[in-house]
Amino acid sequence: MAPTKLHLFLEETAFYNRILLGSLFPSELWTPIPHFLQSWLRNYIGGVLLYLLSGSLWCFYIYYLKRNVYVPKDCIPSRRGMLLQIGVAMKAMPWYTLLPTVSEYMIEHGWTRCFPLISDVGWTAYLGNLLIYLVIVEFGIYWMHRELHDIKPLYKYLHATHHIYNKQNTLSPFAGLAFHPVDGILQAVPHIIALFLVPAHLTTHIALLFIEAIWTANIHDCIDGKMWPVMGAAYHTIHHTTYRHNYGHYTVWMDWMFGTLRDPSEEEAGKKVT
């Protein structure tokens, strides 16, 4: 890879560091820190702010402003339960945010197939590569998630931490990142694997990693958005109650292909019959 591209990668991540760290701390406090640690600190602070702000705003909207509209009163999780979920996520956050920091390090050193500018490949190639990237991520997260259930030691020591939230009144947007840190990292690893398989845009890759925090909050709110083929909260709530269905991430396609899909509309119809 040409040195100019590596320079652009480093320039971009340094720019993000200046925006966040420079707005929060005097320069003499953070500029002497090595670039890798600056990037980790920026990712950590950004991850914490994104998690707390998005979760708080969403909970305020669905549980208070729209009380009994989206979620029945008796299904709203307790404040204590949500604080416990926040505690689990906060313990894991330093480790979660190490993953994008490591991916940036690999990109900056030219170890991946990343490119710095969309103009390097053109919009058609960018969109095509992005689609392939998302398919790889979807496939990878499906199988990583499924194996975290099927391999008993992985479930017992890692994934069970997340599955203590197994009823509607224990699930909330804050449960989205309430994982054992190793579990959370494993489920995000497909984003890193994709960097070695398909040309990816640096900014888009970083954005997609942080969008995960918003997406996981969304699929734990128990609200049925009814947007097929999106693997929304209604599908994921079934996953938290049956443990054997709906392992997918953004869409239902992997569960459909591999025979683990359970449709919430069929579930609702079954309840009405009984």
Side-chain angles (χ1 to χ4, degrees):
M1 184 176 286
T4 52
K5 288 190 176 182
L6 297 184
H7 178 73
L8 286 173
F9 289 144
L10 192 60
E11 203 173 61
E12 183 171 341
T13 55
F15 172 67
Y16 297 147
N17 293 345
R18 288 195 301 274
I19 289 178
L20 187 58
L21 301 181
S23 64
L24 295 176
F25 308 110
S27 60
E28 59 268 19
L29 284 182
W30 65 272
T31 50
I33 301 173
H35 177 75
F36 181 86
L37 292 179
Q38 287 182 23
S39 297
W40 172 79
L41 185 59
R42 176 248 301 165
N43 286 326
Y44 173 70
I45 294 171
V48 168
L49 291 174
L50 183 64
Y51 172 71
L52 293 177
L53 285 173
S54 62
S56 298
L57 289 171
W58 193 233
C59 286
F60 180 71
Y61 180 74
I62 62 176
Y63 297 149
Y64 297 100
L65 286 184
K66 296 292 183 178
R67 194 175 183 87
N68 282 328
V69 175
Y70 297 116
V71 181
K73 185 178 178 180
D74 58 347
C75 291
I76 295 175
S78 67
R79 288 185 185 179
R80 182 177 180 275
M82 289 189 281
L83 287 172
L84 288 172
Q85 291 167 3
I86 293 169
V88 173
M90 287 299 97
K91 288 177 184 176
M93 193 66 74
W95 302 102
Y96 290 162
T97 50
L98 191 59
L99 190 72
T101 310
V102 169
S103 79
E104 289 175 29
Y105 180 87
M106 293 189 296
I107 292 165
E108 290 163 0
H109 286 75
W111 300 350
T112 71
R113 299 187 66 187
C114 263
F115 54 89
L117 304 170
I118 294 175
S119 59
D120 292 336
V121 297
W123 278 99
T124 302
Y126 166 74
L127 293 173
N129 288 328
L130 177 59
L131 180 61
I132 296 168
Y133 176 104
L134 290 172
V135 170
I136 292 169
V137 167
E138 188 76 13
F139 178 85
I141 291 178
Y142 172 87
W143 279 106
M144 187 67 76
H145 190 185
R146 185 166 173 175
E147 293 311 304
L148 282 161
H149 279 265
D150 290 347
I151 300 173
K152 299 307 178 187
L154 291 182
Y155 183 83
K156 180 178 179 180
Y157 296 108
L158 298 180
H159 201 51
T161 299
H162 183 64
H163 269 276
I164 61 172
Y165 318 115
N166 55 11
K167 296 181 179 65
Q168 189 170 357
N169 64 358
T170 63
L171 286 163
S172 83
F174 289 118
L177 290 181
F179 288 90
H180 187 289
V182 176
D183 182 359
I185 289 170
L186 285 174
Q187 294 199 59
V189 159
H191 279 277
I192 311 305
I193 294 172
L195 297 178
F196 295 92
L197 301 177
V198 62
H201 180 230
L202 170 60
T203 309
T204 304
H205 165 70
I206 295 171
L208 286 170
L209 278 174
F210 279 88
I211 286 170
E212 290 287 352
I214 298 172
W215 180 249
T216 56
N218 174 265
I219 62 173
H220 288 86
D221 65 13
C222 300
I223 298 171
D224 188 356
K226 296 180 180 178
M227 293 177 62
W228 187 94
V230 174
M231 178 66 76
Y235 287 95
H236 199 70
T237 302
I238 290 172
H239 171 75
H240 272 264
T241 55
T242 70
Y243 299 82
R244 308 302 301 171
H245 301 91
N246 302 352
Y247 299 103
H249 194 52
Y250 293 121
T251 72
V252 302
W253 289 328
M254 293 298 160
D255 284 284
W256 174 75
M257 286 172 59
F258 296 111
T260 54
L261 183 66
R262 179 174 284 190
D263 195 306
S265 61
E266 294 173 5
E267 192 90 350
E268 194 61 34
K271 288 178 183 177
K272 288 178 181 177
V273 169
T274 55

